[in-house]
Amino acid sequence: VNIIKSTESLHEILFLFLEVGLILGSLGVVILTNIVYSAFFLALVFVCISLLYLLLNADFVATAQILIYVGAINILIVFAVMLINKPQSFNFFPSWTTGDGITCAACTGLFFLLITTISDTSWSEIYLVTQSNNIVEQDLGGNIQRIGYLLLTEFLLPFELLSIILLVALIGAITVARREKILEMRVKSQALQAKED
Amino acid sequence: MLEHALNLGAYLFCIGIFGLITSRNMVRALMCLELLFNVVNINLVTFSNYFDTEQLKGEIFSIFVIVIAAAEAAIGLAIVLAIHRNRGSTRIDQLDLLKW
């Protein structure tokens, strides 16, 4: 019992640290004027969320989060920020307009509504219902084995469609973002040759 | 701790929506959108941990959300680059070509 209680309190302490990191990081993403700082605070948010997944016994999703979000998506965002040159503004926080104030009030209202709904839900009843609905599966042992098994049996069609989505996204991003000067030069040279003939 | 994680998700969701609505830069809007995707993933993984330890359906759904968010970030940033190349600025309120 002592071991269980000490790991519970250790989980709570780590969770508090991650919560502080997430609160400050997300405020930094949204409020700071310099967008490079925002991109780095977003990396901090992604890393904190990955550690949160580790606390919630989701080791594969935590690894996937670090690899994909921090390693690919955040690098892509930093590239885009670097390629788009903007003039430097010297204040840290931007000036607020009226629309910003209205949105802040609406978002605060939404936050309090969500908090009230979460605290009003009886989670113990839902836990009992889900426990009674669960059929006892074979013990496959380990997180990754269970996810792999389910991805190849029950979720096979979404898995294959996901690979097609990635292919389409890759081709689409390259087509949208490439330079078209080579095509224009070829068209102009063909037009010049047609005039000479 | 379930309610703690859900409250954290609610807070990040509201900050993400606030950032998405009030950002004047396109890349910042895409960053807030990625934050929103992550909050949804936090909720899914939390529910999978506390209610579905046998089958981990929430974690599988969150893997799908991660992959689709990656694809969407790639295409969104390609569009932002194309717009910046053609118009020179990345302010959202100047993107009104499709307005009536």
Side-chain angles (χ1 to χ4, degrees):
Chain A
V1 175
N2 270 339
I3 301 175
I4 295 175
K5 275 191 181 169
S6 66
T7 53
E8 273 277 330
S9 59
L10 185 65
H11 276 204
E12 288 287 335
I13 292 175
L14 287 174
F15 191 78
L16 279 175
F17 272 121
L18 290 177
E19 194 170 2
V20 168
L22 276 175
I23 289 175
L24 294 178
S26 59
L27 280 176
V29 168
V30 165
I31 287 184
L32 290 177
T33 317
N34 193 353
I35 204 171
V36 185
Y37 291 166
S38 286
F40 287 131
F41 271 105
L42 190 67
L44 171 72
V45 166
F46 287 157
V47 169
C48 285
I49 288 182
S50 170
L51 295 174
L52 186 65
Y53 289 157
L54 278 180
L55 275 184
L56 289 172
N57 293 328
D59 44 3
F60 178 68
V61 187
T63 322
Q65 167 95 6
I66 292 263
L67 282 174
I68 297 178
Y69 266 112
V70 181
I73 293 181
N74 205 38
I75 302 283
L76 196 59
I77 287 178
V78 169
F79 264 115
V81 163
M82 296 296 182
L83 281 173
I84 294 176
N85 286 327
K86 290 190 68 66
Q88 277 276 352
S89 56
F90 289 108
N91 49 343
F92 271 124
F93 307 108
S95 54
W96 278 49
T97 64
T98 323
D100 286 353
I102 296 177
T103 316
C104 183
C107 286
T108 320
L110 177 66
F111 174 59
F112 283 120
L113 178 66
L114 285 172
I115 296 270
T116 329
T117 314
I118 289 170
S119 63
D120 276 346
T121 320
S122 56
W123 298 111
S124 45
E125 281 186 21
I126 296 177
Y127 180 71
L128 288 175
V129 169
T130 54
Q131 286 301 102
S132 66
N133 279 343
N134 260 342
I135 314 167
V136 176
E137 292 268 336
Q138 48 180 340
D139 185 31
L140 285 167
N143 227 349
I144 297 184
Q145 281 94 334
R146 257 178 281 186
I147 290 180
Y149 173 74
L150 282 172
L151 269 183
L152 285 177
T153 57
E154 198 176 329
F155 298 104
L156 179 63
L157 183 62
F159 183 60
E160 300 298 331
L161 288 178
L162 210 59
S163 64
I164 295 181
I165 282 182
L166 281 178
L167 177 70
V168 169
L170 193 63
I171 296 178
I174 292 176
T175 312
V176 168
R178 66 181 226 179
R179 296 200 167 264
E180 298 187 0
K181 277 187 183 171
I182 302 175
L183 291 175
E184 286 176 8
M185 279 174 57
R186 273 195 202 142
V187 167
K188 280 182 187 169
S189 65
Q190 281 175 2
L192 281 176
Q193 277 183 353
K195 274 188 187 172
E196 283 175 18
D197 291 340
Chain B
M1 195 160 133
L2 166 70
E3 292 196 3
H4 212 171
L6 291 178
N7 288 340
L8 180 65
Y11 171 78
L12 289 176
F13 188 73
C14 293
I15 283 196
I17 283 195
F18 172 71
L20 183 60
I21 293 180
T22 66
S23 71
R24 268 156 251 154
N25 192 355
M26 276 180 242
V27 185
R28 190 191 297 273
L30 281 170
M31 290 198 298
C32 295
L33 197 57
E34 295 300 321
L35 184 59
L36 288 176
F37 279 128
N38 272 304
V39 170
V40 169
N41 272 349
I42 285 180
N43 262 12
L44 284 170
V45 170
T46 307
F47 283 135
S48 153
N49 182 35
Y50 284 106
F51 294 136
D52 196 20
T53 321
E54 308 277 327
Q55 269 205 323
L56 303 174
K57 294 191 278 281
E59 291 189 21
I60 292 180
F61 199 168
S62 72
I63 291 174
F64 288 148
V65 172
I66 286 179
V67 172
I68 290 187
E72 175 259 351
I75 292 187
L77 288 169
I79 290 179
V80 166
L81 279 179
I83 287 176
H84 176 74
R85 197 185 304 145
N86 281 337
R87 310 193 104 215
S89 81
T90 49
R91 286 182 58 114
I92 280 188
D93 45 356
Q94 290 177 359
L95 272 184
D96 51 359
L97 285 175
L98 284 175
K99 263 172 97 164
W100 50 86

